[in-house]
Amino acid sequence: MGYEAVAGGEEAIKNAADLLRYFRTRGGSPPLTVRQLMDQQRLAVDRVMGEGSLYAPVIAALALKEAEGDAVEAAFIVRAYRATQPRRYYSLPVDSTRMQIIRRISGTFQDIPGGQILGPARDYTQRLVDFSLLEENENTVRNFLAGLGVQTSGQEELPASFPKVVDRLRADGLLAEAGETDRRLFDITRKSITFPCPRSARLQSLARGETGAMMALAYSSIRGYGDIHPFLAELRVGYIPLYIRHHGRTGPVYMGKIPVTEAEIIAQYAEGEKGTRPKLTLGYGLCFGHNEVKAIAMGILDRAMRSRSSRKAPAEDEEFVLYHIDGIESSGFVAHWKLPHYVTFQSTLDRLRKSQLIQEEAGHAGHKYG
């Protein structure tokens, strides 16, 4: 591509930035605080952290404020910030059965070990405009929280861990494992992906993919552009403990808990080797914070990309999926058309005019000798 350098535009660029801030603050309402965003826009903050590939609630909320609520732009800001930070440690593998549950449901079994926990969700209420929020203030919030405290007092505490629903299928010999031959732990932030790539690289890419893009591709697979008919074995939302190894300590060092959403998707039978029993297959999804649509879509795409079909649908083609779900890459390339393309467009016009001239000359020649 050819670009034309623009000089002398510093003042115009500064004025554009000032105007952007003016449009954000001109309404006269009190400025949003980062704490307000973290408390009351938690799902947006969680989405920015996931797509920005950095667990940093304060930075994500600050980026969301800076971007005026544009989640993709906020994720871009977070990922740019992430690139400036040193990496000192790697966390140890986590055991999600040790998750401190706030929500746990299954779409495949009604009765599951430990029971279903609905938790915070909009799935069971009508999606109507709540006009009472127009009158919400500190007093109404305080009264609500006080009343909720009375209702929940005396309730039994949840157990420290829950068994996995899919373990029941494994015990009955009904579930096939992923069967990946390439078990490398690939770091997509340090190396460029080449295809075919190991499952660890696919899962990392999915974990920081753009929620809407992943949902669209997963939806395409469900609707028939692919051969996945998923069932939700288990969806978990909660807090998992993180540990690292420190050179000054002999054992793992506890770093704290982070919220995550985990989904395990059961798909159709897996055709085994000749003489082996067919089994169900499993797709896996896990992302920062509370983002159920993304975790479920991730599980569907994880399974879809393992398809052995000779004619792959878009959601089954790992190169297609992984190159197009990254919101930062996608938005950057789409938005770059706003930059000057004067040289390339003039070249296109020159070729077009020349083609038209050649066509006209050929037409005149044909008419002359016809």
Side-chain angles (χ1 to χ4, degrees):
M1 293 182 183
Y3 298 96
E4 181 174 311
V6 179
E10 290 85 355
E11 184 177 357
I13 292 173
K14 180 183 180 303
N15 290 338
D18 289 343
L19 192 59
L20 189 66
R21 183 175 182 181
Y22 165 74
F23 271 84
R24 182 173 63 82
T25 59
R26 65 177 177 171
S29 59
L32 282 172
T33 66
V34 169
R35 179 61 183 270
Q36 283 178 306
L37 288 167
M38 292 170 61
D39 289 347
Q40 301 182 48
Q41 300 292 314
R42 62 182 183 88
L43 299 183
V45 172
D46 287 349
R47 175 173 173 174
V48 169
M49 288 193 297
E51 296 174 12
S53 191
L54 178 69
Y55 183 78
V58 173
I59 300 298
L62 187 60
L64 200 58
K65 177 179 179 178
E66 180 182 347
E68 301 181 75
D70 186 333
V72 174
E73 177 68 16
F76 177 92
I77 295 170
V78 169
R79 206 178 289 186
Y81 171 81
R82 179 186 185 277
T84 68
Q85 302 304 300
R87 179 178 300 178
R88 296 188 175 93
Y89 304 99
Y90 287 88
S91 63
L92 297 177
V94 300
D95 180 3
S96 60
T97 62
R98 299 179 59 192
M99 183 185 297
Q100 181 183 341
I101 296 290
I102 63 172
R103 174 162 160 77
R104 177 183 184 242
I105 60 172
S106 172
T108 52
F109 296 101
Q110 181 176 358
D111 298 317
I112 57 177
Q116 307 221 24
I117 301 168
L118 300 188
R122 295 183 177 83
D123 297 342
Y124 319 105
T125 58
Q126 291 180 316
R127 270 65 171 256
L128 301 176
V129 177
D130 185 357
F131 289 99
S132 68
L133 295 179
L134 290 171
E135 308 299 328
E136 188 177 48
N137 54 45
E138 291 184 3
N139 288 332
T140 59
V141 171
R142 190 181 302 113
N143 293 337
F144 167 75
L145 294 176
L148 192 64
V150 171
Q151 294 176 14
T152 57
S153 61
Q155 296 288 332
E156 295 183 5
E157 292 188 3
L158 295 176
S161 63
F162 289 85
K164 288 295 188 77
V165 171
V166 294
D167 287 342
R168 175 189 298 183
L169 299 174
R170 285 194 176 98
D172 293 339
L174 299 174
L175 187 66
E177 301 303 325
E180 292 282 325
T181 56
D182 190 344
R183 302 182 66 85
R184 291 175 294 162
L185 293 178
F186 193 94
D187 187 348
I188 65 171
T189 66
R190 300 294 179 91
K191 299 178 182 178
S192 299
I193 294 180
T194 57
F195 299 97
C197 62
R199 189 177 183 217
S200 63
R202 295 199 300 269
L203 291 176
Q204 286 176 65
S205 297
L206 291 168
R208 68 178 196 169
E210 201 270 327
T211 303
M214 292 171 59
M215 177 181 65
L217 284 173
Y219 181 50
S220 74
S221 181
I222 296 168
R223 288 197 65 245
Y225 293 89
D227 60 356
I228 300 300
H229 188 288
F231 296 92
L232 180 61
E234 187 173 4
L235 175 74
R236 294 184 177 213
V237 182
Y239 298 85
I240 54 173
L242 284 185
Y243 295 85
I244 63 169
R245 292 201 182 279
H246 193 280
H247 63 274
R249 304 286 187 89
T250 55
V253 178
Y254 175 68
M255 297 300 294
K257 294 182 292 187
I258 64 170
V260 298
T261 304
E262 179 187 51
E264 290 180 309
I265 301 295
I266 297 173
Q268 74 286 345
Y269 303 113
E271 295 297 336
E273 300 295 333
K274 187 175 181 179
T276 62
R277 299 166 60 191
K279 297 182 179 181
L280 296 169
T281 54
L282 187 68
Y284 184 76
L286 185 141
C287 59
F288 284 148
H290 191 169
N291 193 340
E292 299 178 12
V293 167
K294 179 174 179 177
I296 294 171
M298 180 177 174
I300 293 171
L301 292 174
D302 171 48
R303 173 57 186 85
M305 286 188 289
R306 302 203 304 271
S307 170
R308 297 180 181 178
S309 172
S310 58
R311 299 181 63 183
K312 292 184 181 295
E316 297 172 340
D317 186 323
E318 67 174 18
E319 185 171 352
F320 182 91
V321 171
L322 300 185
Y323 270 157
H324 294 93
I325 61 169
D326 193 300
I328 311 304
E329 295 284 347
S330 302
S331 65
F333 202 84
V334 171
H336 100 280
W337 299 109
K338 295 183 290 184
L339 298 175
H341 286 72
Y342 312 137
V343 174
T344 51
F345 184 64
Q346 289 301 320
S347 177
T348 299
L349 289 179
D350 289 343
R351 292 196 304 272
L352 176 60
R353 289 175 178 134
K354 186 174 182 179
S355 297
Q356 290 179 341
L357 180 60
I358 292 173
Q359 185 181 35
E360 290 174 2
E361 291 176 346
H364 291 319
H367 179 73
K368 179 178 180 180
Y369 295 104

